[in-house]
Amino acid sequence: EDQVTQSPEALRLQEGESSSLNCSYTVSGLRGLFWYRQDPGKGPEFLFTLYSAGEEKEKERLKATLTKKESFLHITAPKPEDSATYLCAVQSNYQLIWGAGTKLIIKP
Amino acid sequence: DAGVIQSPRHEVTEMGQEVTLRCKPISGHNSLFWYRQTMMRGLELLIYFNNNVPIDDSGMPEDRFSAKMPNASFSTLKIQPSEPRDSAVYFCASRYRGEMPEAFFGQGTRLTVV
């Protein structure tokens, strides 16, 4: 059965304290892995797409990496404005299988 | 482009009433998704349209839910009759089914059924 598991459920960091969020997946025929950011009261906002093991994408303080079993979202020297819920999804055929998300809180 | 536009942003209705949620996808996108998000279940796919045709509605909870896409620029999700357990945030997302498979979401409609 296709499944996506994100950890931790919540993560509190001090401003400037780097860390990583994990997205583990089992899917038959990965067509893409997606990272989204969701702020309270808003829709998910697209961040990255990764297609194959070894691929990396960067945007500002965020870097996403992919292996055959998991993806990491690394956040370097985060700022309070990086606080949000980060969602991971994998594409199997046309469907996106979503993780439950990691709620990231960056304290000033 | 203004992105995916949903209306209304908030809807409060009484149990048993009909509710209609609306979505305008991004121009040029040929796939549209309706999702429901709750704390307990996260994001759940309700229905998927490709080129205005419903491809998979297996996520629609029951016959009280129906969705239409009469043209490429408009879709509706209707709940009749509504029940308190339908309270959730409903999102519409669209994408171009081609080289850029990522979906773009609207701001959502927060539905409260009392």
Side-chain angles (χ1 to χ4, degrees):
Chain A
E1 180 184 349
D2 296 341
Q3 195 169 8
V4 176
T5 303
Q6 291 189 248
S7 61
E9 288 186 14
L11 182 61
R12 293 176 181 267
L13 300 172
Q14 288 292 138
E15 183 174 0
E17 181 184 0
S18 302
S19 188
S20 297
L21 313 182
N22 178 264
C23 172
S24 298
Y25 64 90
T26 54
V27 63
S28 52
L30 178 70
R31 294 193 171 193
L33 185 142
F34 304 84
W35 281 99
Y36 284 79
R37 167 192 173 130
Q38 186 174 23
D39 293 295
K42 296 190 175 182
E45 176 188 346
F46 170 73
L47 292 174
F48 304 110
T49 308
L50 301 167
Y51 292 102
S52 57
E55 188 175 0
E56 297 183 354
K57 294 271 180 76
E58 284 189 69
K59 180 180 180 180
E60 296 180 352
R61 294 176 293 281
L62 299 176
K63 182 169 79 172
T65 62
L66 181 64
T67 72
K68 289 186 178 180
K69 295 183 177 181
E70 58 191 350
S71 176
F72 290 94
L73 185 65
H74 306 279
I75 182 160
T76 302
K79 299 181 178 182
E81 54 261 42
D82 295 321
S83 297
T85 295
Y86 291 84
L87 296 165
C88 168
V90 296
Q91 183 171 352
S92 176
N93 296 316
Y94 59 82
Q95 279 213 35
L96 289 179
I97 313 298
W98 292 86
T102 293
K103 185 174 183 178
L104 179 65
I105 299 172
I106 308 299
K107 297 177 287 184
Chain B
D1 197 315
V4 177
I5 299 173
Q6 292 186 244
S7 64
R9 289 295 313 277
H10 302 275
E11 177 79 42
V12 179
T13 190
E14 292 185 348
M15 183 174 63
Q17 295 298 305
E18 177 180 297
V19 176
T20 299
L21 311 182
R22 297 172 176 80
C23 175
K24 175 178 169 56
I26 293 173
S27 177
H29 282 190
N30 56 6
S31 296
L32 183 139
F33 304 83
W34 281 101
Y35 283 94
R36 178 170 67 179
Q37 187 176 43
T38 61
M39 289 293 293
M40 292 296 294
R41 297 189 173 189
L43 272 169
E44 300 176 278
L45 178 65
L46 299 177
I47 188 168
Y48 159 61
F49 291 88
N50 189 52
N51 292 327
N52 312 336
V53 176
I55 303 300
D56 183 358
D57 64 356
S58 60
M60 297 286 261
E62 47 200 271
D63 292 345
R64 298 184 297 106
F65 285 67
S66 62
K68 294 182 179 179
M69 192 164 186
N71 57 61
S73 59
F74 185 65
S75 178
T76 59
L77 178 67
K78 185 178 293 186
I79 308 173
Q80 166 63 19
S82 58
E83 296 183 3
R85 59 189 169 128
D86 301 330
S87 297
V89 181
Y90 291 81
F91 288 105
C92 175
S94 71
R95 74 174 188 190
Y96 174 68
R97 191 180 179 185
E99 294 182 356
M100 296 179 66
E102 55 268 14
F104 295 86
F105 284 75
Q107 295 284 52
T109 295
R110 179 173 294 278
L111 174 65
T112 304
V113 183
V114 298

